[in-house]
Amino acid sequence: MRIAVVGSGYVGLVSAACFAEIGHNVVSIDNDPDKITALERGEVPIHELHLSELLDRHHNHRLRFSTSLGDSIRDAEAIFITVGTPQSETGEADLSYVESVAREMASALRGQQLVVEKSTVPVNTCDSLRRALVLNGAPSQSFSVASNPEFLREGTAVVDFLYPDRIVIGADDEFSRTVLSKIYAPLANGTYYRQREAIRLHNGVYDRAPIIVTNAKSAELIKHASNAFLAMKISFINAVANISESVGADIQQVCAGIGSDSRIGPKFLNAGIGYGGSCFPKDVQAFRMVSEQCNYEFGLLKEVTKINTEQQRLFVKKVQSALWTLRGKKLGVLGLAFKGETDDVRESPAIAIVNALVKEGATARAYDPAAMRRAADLLPKEGMTFASNPYDAAVGCDALLILTEWREFAALDLERVRRALRHPIVVDGRNLFDPEKASRAGLIYYSIGRPACMPDRSLLTGQEEDYAATSHRIESPLSAGATS
Ligand code: UDX
């Protein structure tokens, strides 16, 4: 089928490349000429597994790029809108980019075409989109509007697209249902997975994508409710982790116990410094605003956000408690991205934490495998340096902080880390290490929701032993909260 994708950001570019991969002829449109020129030159603007491979494979065959919306959508059978819906000052989703696309698109629509809303939008946006198109001159018989929310995680977006848990088709008429079903047929009937060159799923068997057909409003709600639920799961486990730490339990054992209940499941129960990124913080807030507009006070969502913010403050307190005071302390920082395997730093808890620590008078030496360039603009100019590898970040530091769950960090040689540090203290905001291993490597190891671990004394120098002896107790996160 002929597909146009309006907006070549994370969602748009991945969707365009994947639609081409499953056999469609795709044009990816963006109004930023620099972005389109770079894509035409073969540059890939985002760090996303398999994306370069797909762009290489399909560019100038089934995939092209354009800055011209009007010309590019004229022949398209389906036009996906994937422009940003940032958070406005009031917390609602700002739909002005969607509206401006609708305005520009209206005069170019002709014949039977399907306009699909794929960006995350509040419920009722399909109705508003329909109205905006007609208001701006599109003949109402010439198009249908449907919702097809994306559930792509950054870092695994290509695989998430091609091997989805579900594809939601939110259609209010037969035409929309038919077009969207045809577009996703290679995934729904499994023909894609049998192709020799298909991107493979490394673990697990997968033979067809489940399709859920709903009306447009339900599809819009599914997206907001899914993200809000996932954010709630993280805040819930973080709250439990704080209690676990206070009473000397182990959050990982608690999670194994909770997660083995099939109604709860083991995923998305990693305690840490809270969620970030371009979706969860904004979507929880936007969903709350939707509920307000429905005259429903969804207080739970307020609490989800509050716990998440509090989690960062408690981590700063934990570092302070481990070091006694922060002023003049040199901190190694591993991780700046909002999660592992991405260069995205939007709403990253790591950035908020580093800023807070430097504001308290500490200096930071940070390393992130992909996000340092993007992070530099959001970090203090003074009191901040960047390292060339994780061990380099630790050299001469009073403590090493783990702020992003990069796989690379989980594989660090902890003895080498200890040798690089000035004091053998690691404060792990992502629970990447086994406390016993950290102890055997001679580290004083603090993590989230687990008891602090002291080093095996035989490994310490005299001075380190004195230090460890005075570090045996860190305030529990809850008493740290109470004293602030
Ligand atoms: C999310 C949704 O997962 C995706 O379906 C949606 O379409 C877009 O938003 P993404 O923002 O890429 O995707 O990140 P995700 O992998 O979901 O992680 C979000 C945040 O939660 C990260 O900061 C991560 O570190 C944190 N997280 C995740 C936890 O703290 N604990 C967990 O158990 C899981």
Side-chain angles (χ1 to χ4, degrees):
M1 296 189 75
R2 292 184 306 280
I3 295 177
V5 180
V6 186
S8 311
Y10 272 99
V11 174
L13 194 56
V14 169
S15 303
C18 290
F19 283 138
E21 170 72 1
I22 62 174
H24 302 300
N25 285 311
V26 184
V27 52
S28 169
I29 306 154
D30 204 285
N31 61 6
D32 176 351
D34 292 343
K35 188 183 267 182
I36 293 298
T37 314
L39 284 164
E40 275 173 338
R41 271 201 306 264
E43 287 169 28
V44 186
I46 53 175
H47 186 82
E48 199 60 56
L49 188 68
H50 299 304
L51 186 59
S52 310
E53 183 185 340
L54 292 192
L55 294 178
D56 264 5
R57 193 183 288 178
H58 301 298
H59 183 205
N60 287 332
H61 302 287
R62 288 205 293 260
L63 174 63
R64 63 189 178 85
F65 299 103
S66 172
T67 50
S68 164
L69 178 69
D71 291 344
S72 309
I73 67 166
R74 241 175 274 280
D75 289 333
E77 292 159 274
I79 303 145
F80 286 79
I81 301 180
T82 57
V83 292
T85 51
Q87 188 171 320
S88 68
E89 273 172 21
T90 54
E92 291 163 277
D94 172 356
L95 298 177
S96 53
Y97 297 118
V98 178
E99 195 195 356
S100 95
V101 166
R103 233 181 286 133
E104 218 182 319
M105 199 188 256
S107 55
L109 288 177
R110 53 175 185 190
Q112 281 270 291
Q113 287 174 295
L114 178 64
V115 178
V116 189
E117 180 51 73
K118 208 173 190 28
S119 314
T120 303
V121 290
V123 63
N124 289 330
T125 299
C126 273
D127 282 353
S128 310
L129 186 55
R130 226 174 258 133
R131 265 200 308 277
L133 287 166
V134 173
L135 215 67
N136 286 284
S140 61
Q141 301 312 320
S142 70
F143 68 92
S144 284
V145 173
S147 162
N148 170 226
E150 52 81 21
F151 301 99
L152 311 177
R153 289 163 302 173
E154 287 179 25
T156 53
V158 168
V159 169
D160 288 344
F161 189 103
L162 296 170
Y163 293 84
D165 285 347
R166 78 301 207 189
I167 292 166
V168 175
I169 292 180
D172 292 334
D173 55 69
E174 199 47 48
F175 173 70
S176 306
R177 267 188 292 277
T178 309
V179 173
L180 279 167
S181 302
K182 257 167 122 177
I183 290 174
Y184 286 109
L187 303 181
N189 63 27
T191 45
Y192 172 71
Y193 309 112
R194 294 192 284 278
Q195 283 171 21
R196 201 161 44 87
E197 292 207 319
I199 299 284
R200 297 280 161 221
L201 193 62
H202 289 299
N203 43 7
V205 184
Y206 190 103
D207 60 2
R208 55 194 62 213
I211 302 265
I212 296 175
V213 181
T214 67
N215 59 31
K217 284 190 190 10
S218 303
E220 290 167 335
L221 263 187
I222 287 172
K223 171 67 197 203
H224 260 160
S226 298
N227 273 3
F229 190 90
L230 290 168
M232 178 189 74
K233 215 172 169 189
I234 299 170
S235 279
F236 183 87
I237 209 61
N238 282 335
V240 177
N242 294 335
I243 295 169
S244 163
E245 200 171 316
S246 275
V247 300
D250 180 329
I251 190 64
Q252 271 165 332
Q253 292 177 8
V254 175
C255 284
I258 302 175
S260 60
D261 184 326
S262 60
R263 293 168 301 175
I264 298 174
K267 290 187 185 163
F268 250 67
L269 283 180
N270 297 322
I273 51 174
Y275 60 78
S278 61
C279 293
F280 286 171
K282 156 176 96 80
D283 291 354
V284 171
Q285 191 62 16
F287 196 32
R288 223 178 105 202
M289 298 311 286
V290 167
S291 77
E292 250 176 45
Q293 281 152 16
C294 300
N295 291 321
Y296 179 70
E297 173 67 50
F298 203 158
L300 176 64
L301 298 182
K302 195 169 170 190
E303 207 51 38
V304 167
T305 304
K306 189 171 155 218
I307 293 172
N308 198 53
T309 314
E310 182 66 0
Q311 204 62 9
Q312 296 168 12
R313 195 182 67 82
L314 292 177
F315 186 81
V316 171
K317 284 271 166 204
K318 180 176 286 196
V319 177
Q320 181 176 20
S321 188
L323 293 171
W324 191 26
T325 64
L326 288 170
R327 188 155 301 280
K329 297 284 160 61
K330 186 177 171 194
L331 304 172
V333 170
L334 295 189
L336 295 167
F338 82 96
K339 66 172 190 179
E341 327 309 316
T342 175
D343 61 351
D344 196 340
V345 291
R346 286 176 288 178
E347 299 291 322
S348 171
I351 302 275
I353 286 169
V354 174
N355 276 314
L357 290 165
V358 172
K359 200 164 161 218
E360 292 289 323
T363 60
R365 181 160 175 75
Y367 173 74
D368 187 288
M372 287 195 289
R373 194 178 50 79
R374 288 179 184 226
D377 292 340
L378 305 173
L379 290 167
K381 301 287 166 268
E382 280 180 30
M384 183 80 224
T385 54
F386 293 96
S388 55
N389 63 60
Y391 303 103
D392 178 29
V395 170
C397 287
D398 294 293
L400 183 68
L401 318 182
I402 316 288
L403 301 186
T404 306
E405 65 273 44
W406 280 93
R407 276 196 292 272
E408 177 182 334
F409 298 158
L412 285 178
D413 172 349
L414 292 182
E415 281 166 25
R416 192 169 158 201
V417 166
R418 175 183 155 248
R419 286 196 300 274
L421 283 165
R422 176 157 171 259
H423 294 302
I425 299 177
V426 170
V427 192
D428 182 357
R430 298 293 191 167
N431 286 357
L432 290 192
F433 305 118
D434 170 5
E436 274 181 31
K437 255 195 203 155
S439 161
R440 279 201 302 276
L443 292 168
I444 301 170
Y445 179 64
Y446 302 106
S447 54
I448 307 285
R450 302 185 292 184
C453 243
M454 289 304 114
D456 187 328
R457 289 277 149 105
S458 63
L459 296 167
L460 299 183
T461 63
Q463 193 200 8
E464 284 172 350
E465 198 169 341
D466 289 346
Y467 200 86
T470 56
S471 306
H472 66 286
R473 192 156 149 61
I474 186 169
E475 271 183 278
S476 93
L478 302 182
S479 59
T483 55
S484 71

